[in-house]
Amino acid sequence: MAQKTLQDKLAILSDAAKYDASCASSGTTRRDSRKGGIGSAGGTGICHAYTPDGRCVSLLKILMTNFCIYDCAFCINRVSSNVERARFTPEEVVTLTLEFYRRNMIEGLFLSSGIIKSPDQTMSDILRIARMLRVDHGFKGYIHLKTIPDASPELVEEAGLYADRMSVNIELPQDGSLRELAPEKRPETIRASMAGMRLSREAAKERSFRGKRPPAFAPAGQSTQMIVGADKATDREILGTSSRLYAGYDLKRVYYSAFSPIPDASKALPLIKPPLMREHRLYQADWLMRFYGFDADEIGAARPDGNLDLEIDPKLAWALANRTQFPVDVARAPKELLLRVPGFGTKTVSRILAARRNGPVRYGDLLRIGAIMSKAQPFVVLPDWKPGLLTDSDGLRARFAPPAEQLSLFG
Amino acid sequence: MIRVDLPRFRSFEAWRAAARQLASNRVAADEVRWAAPDDPAELFGAASVPGLGAQPVVATKDLLDLARQVSSHSDPERWGLLYAALMRTQEDRRFLSNPADPMRNRLERMAKSVRRDIHKMHAFVRFHELPSKGSRRSFGAWFEPEHPILEAGTPFFAKRFADMDWLIATPEGIARFEGEAIGFEPPAPRPDLPEDASHDLWQTYFANIFNPARIKTQAMRSEMPVKYWKNLPETRLIGEMLADAPRRVQAMADAGATEAPAFAAKVTARLRQAPDDSAPDTMEAARAQALRCRRCDLCQHATQTVWGEGDPQAPLMIVGEAPGDHEDLAGRPFVGPAGQLLRQAMAETGIDPERAWLTNAVKHFKFRPRGKRRLHQNPNAGEVQHCRWWLGLERRFVAPRVTVALGATAAYALTGNRDPLTPRRGGVENGLIEGPVLITWHPSMILRETGPGARVAREQLVSDLIRARRMLAG
């Protein structure tokens, strides 16, 4: 067989990495290259391109290799798949990262890998790449490493010194489905690995008795990914799992990835259209949990089947199911209540609070401030606006939901 | 009419100086014309800017920050608007703090558009490698921003690419960096940028990171507006990628699952060796099994099984309720605040934790998530009963002469008796499995207690531990 070129390998190993949703490059320590090395980081991340699937390209997201000894049914790289295999050398990964970076195409590297030989072997190769970038080349850009759950803690500990973000995927919302679909992975090991990273991060924040701070451990925190729609879990269960992950491991993000058909799919999973709207609603709900003070059960309880309404957003669905709490008097309501009004985002709310100090806030002011009044109308009272019976009207949901599709007479 | 001529570069500073002079003479906004370098002369002539006048001029920091951003907007009226805002500030210093104010709102929207354009410049500039003139590598790019942001947008590149020479050419001028500071030059025709092999690799990456089964072109267009596309090497692939996507998805469906390669079964067989579930005959085997325990639902939510720790031949066993937040993360018993209190109390009584077996009645943490915290919950009777299997094994292997039950849950797990704890505290009862069980407070109860109650309870815990030590000696 002919030797694969760098281009061939890049095609195979970026294709293999496209199912990982995360591409974030924000929130790490501020660094720049004015004192040597190359690159900068810190503040908000930069998306350098968008692909037609609507997802951004911020990092060079590749697999070190797609050879894998595990057999996870949802994964294109599982041992029983006939996908074409390739393997980068550590030097190739480093060169690609630096050359793309110099041309301003990426913010850094997101490195993941299939598990070859053993978890420790794979983790030490990943570690070697990160060390070459940081130490040999003085790279100051962003590095996200996918850690291998069963690898020994010393390897993970050292990797955390070079990485901005570390992650390990929870994969599925319930232990039972993971055991069934990814028999080599163990949910308790995955969680233990997240717990270990949390403890390492906390230890790195404690000053020594001389007041010296130890080197930062993964300063941009850890994240995880959950596949949605490959098992029977309801949205309420999914959000419950997320809230436990946020509470337990101080995660920056839980990414939801609509289960997408893969070439050479396992017989265990159907080739379905990925549930993109469900994925979108879950992200909205997750946002409500992190920035709006909602908890998983409140959002999940809006519908009896425990799934999010696909036609309207979760905040609106919650408000429609909890109309006794409305209308809210914008002139007087506390921040927590304003945050619950559909059509008011966190920025809108802070602007309302600032505007309130300057005098009464009217309908036109809210429009200027950026509130989506078409949504907020039934839920607020203003000096020049009263919703009257609208708040409790039967047809309120119909105002927001897309019209039911007409049956065609001439199908 | 007063005409102010603004230079091509450093125009904000020029505006600021002129605006201060004008405002100090209280010149009204509609009496000033702010002219760009290429603007024709006034038909009827114009006056020049007067010298510094008598009136004081204030400019808040908020106004200057906002003005600096708005000054990079392409709207020719921006300078006049900013001057009007400065004049208004002289009467009402606080108008900028009101988000509902129409003038602030307009300026804020202009600033936002500038910030976005700068962000897009940081994102969409694509360098091509140029022949190097010395030891430093050299790169060049052509970029067409929406607003005149060359000065505001390029310091980012100087911080990021300090070890190489670069230039960014735009219709509005050129920024050039050669290791010191950025120099700005007047506009020149678009430079010829050489072919660069990394751009081909980049296209390969862009085409392959795309998932044809999930198309969302609207999201792509809103974040990567088409106006920037002509200078990006990757966007010319988009048409073809979209056109081919349905065929690729159909091909996936038609191909279906194939036969796994022969070696796969061998690999998975080796990895999937069934765990040994026969009754364990050593402490280590019991621990290994307990790590995979699924006797109740707690394992789904907790991080990991927290097994006992200490001397497996100890004459003394201390049983708590269940692991807490710290124990759950660390995978070790009694490492949190309650554990520290217990260890202090043990030290005061002269009991060496290394010479005892410390464990919990229930091996998994039970909690309710609340934002970024986990609120402890007591295990219920069912969970205690399920976990008694492991506690029984631990007691069988350790065979302690005395067991101390910390709190009601441990007392219930060890004796089967669910009566209230207060009258039983300090007493010795018979265990479900043979051996005396001394009942005392759980240290976390002492931590929850406030006032003199806490001191009394702590003294009782210590005296109970002393009693346990005497029982061992006797």
Side-chain angles (χ1 to χ4, degrees), chain B residues 396-420:
Chain B
R396 180 138 58 82
F397 296 131
V398 177
R401 283 193 285 132
V402 176
T403 305
V404 175
L406 304 173
T409 303
Y412 168 55
L414 288 160
T415 66
N417 181 349
R418 299 178 71 177
D419 291 344

Side-chain angles (χ1 to χ4, degrees), chain B residues 12-13 15-16 58-73 79 82 85-86 89 96 104 107-112 114-115 118 152:
Chain B
F12 173 75
E13 285 72 17
W15 169 84
R16 191 178 168 183
V58 288
T60 59
K61 185 176 178 302
D62 285 352
L63 176 72
L64 287 175
D65 289 347
L66 189 64
R68 191 182 291 278
Q69 291 178 40
V70 171
S71 74
S72 295
H73 200 279
W79 302 113
L82 290 176
L86 177 68
T89 305
L96 270 186
R104 166 193 147 129
L107 292 172
E108 185 51 55
R109 270 185 292 126
M110 290 170 79
K112 189 179 173 189
V114 167
R115 286 196 299 269
I118 292 173

Side-chain angles (χ1 to χ4, degrees), chain B residues 1-4 33 42-48:
Chain B
M1 176 64 66
I2 296 174
R3 174 176 166 128
V4 185
R33 197 174 113 63
E42 306 304 306
L43 217 48
F44 304 105
S48 56

Side-chain angles (χ1 to χ4, degrees), chain A residues 216-237:
Chain A
F217 182 96
Q222 57 167 327
S223 62
T224 192
Q225 169 168 303
M226 211 177 331
I227 300 167
V228 175
D231 67 355
K232 295 269 183 290
T234 64
D235 292 338
R236 191 176 184 165
E237 286 160 339

Side-chain angles (χ1 to χ4, degrees), chain A residues 337-386:
Chain A
L337 222 55
L338 290 174
L339 283 170
R340 299 215 160 201
V341 175
F344 287 8
T346 48
K347 270 193 190 150
T348 308
V349 169
S350 58
R351 285 183 191 143
I352 289 173
L353 295 174
R356 254 178 11 185
R357 288 192 282 273
N358 287 279
V361 178
R362 293 169 192 280
Y363 198 97
D365 295 329
L366 286 182
L367 278 178
R368 254 197 309 281
I369 277 172
I372 302 167
M373 291 311 290
S374 56
K375 266 188 194 171
Q377 261 182 5
F379 305 103
V380 291
V381 172
L382 299 161
D384 55 348
W385 167 258
K386 303 268 177 300

Side-chain angles (χ1 to χ4, degrees), chain A residues 6-7 10-11 14-15 17-19 32-34 37-41 44-55 57 59-62 69-71 79-82 96 99-107 174-176 179 183-184 186 188 191-192 195-196 198-199 243-244 246-250 257-258 260-267 271 274 276 279 351 354-355 358 365 368-369, chain B residues 94 97-102 104-105 119-127 129 137 139 156-164 196 198-202 204-206 208-217 219-220 223-224 233-234 238 241-242 248 252-253 256-261 263-264 267-268 271-272 291-292 294 299-304 325 328-330 367 369-374:
Chain A
L6 185 59
Q7 190 127 10
L10 180 60
S14 52
D15 188 287
K18 73 187 175 198
Y19 303 98
D32 66 52
S33 63
R34 283 174 298 184
I38 171 174
S40 61
T44 54
I46 297 173
C47 302
H48 286 271
Y50 288 80
T51 53
D53 53 24
R55 297 191 295 177
V57 181
L59 302 170
L60 170 62
K61 185 159 56 177
I62 46 173
I69 54 175
Y70 286 9
D71 201 35
V79 66
S80 62
S81 153
N82 281 299
L96 277 173
E99 292 306 311
F100 283 167
Y101 195 85
R102 282 193 184 282
R103 286 160 184 80
N104 201 42
M105 290 154 172
I106 51 170
E107 290 291 288
Q174 289 175 320
D175 286 8
R179 290 202 176 90
E184 285 81 26
R186 288 187 297 136
E188 54 276 6
R191 285 193 289 264
R198 175 182 173 165
L199 292 176
S243 67
R244 285 193 300 274
Y246 283 125
Y249 312 116
D250 192 24
S257 176
S260 164
I262 48 175
D264 197 15
S266 155
K267 290 191 187 92
L271 274 168
L276 295 183
E279 178 190 280
R351 285 183 191 143
N358 287 279
D365 295 329
R368 254 197 309 281
I369 277 172
Chain B
R94 296 197 60 240
S97 69
N98 181 9
D101 182 86
R104 166 193 147 129
N105 197 257
H119 189 77
K120 295 303 178 196
M121 178 186 215
H122 296 167
F124 299 144
V125 158
R126 295 281 181 270
F127 284 120
E129 182 146 29
R137 290 173 72 181
F139 292 83
F156 165 86
F157 295 97
K159 284 185 199 164
R160 174 159 291 192
F161 301 111
D163 76 338
M164 64 195 214
D196 185 325
S198 288
H199 285 249
D200 296 340
L201 282 169
W202 176 243
T204 302
Y205 176 67
F206 184 75
N208 285 285
I209 201 73
F210 160 62
N211 183 349
R214 34 179 311 153
I215 297 207
K216 271 183 160 178
T217 49
M220 167 183 70
E223 297 295 339
M224 187 169 65
E234 60 272 23
I238 287 173
M241 284 158 71
L242 279 170
R248 287 174 66 191
M252 271 193 261
T258 56
E259 284 305 311
F263 65 86
V267 174
T268 44
L271 288 172
R272 282 186 212 175
L291 293 184
R292 290 180 279 115
R294 277 180 259 160
C299 60
Q300 291 245 26
H301 301 164
T303 302
Q304 54 197 328
D325 189 65
D328 172 80
L329 294 174
F367 66 95
R370 170 75 58 81
K372 291 195 146 205
R373 290 174 52 223
R374 303 193 288 183

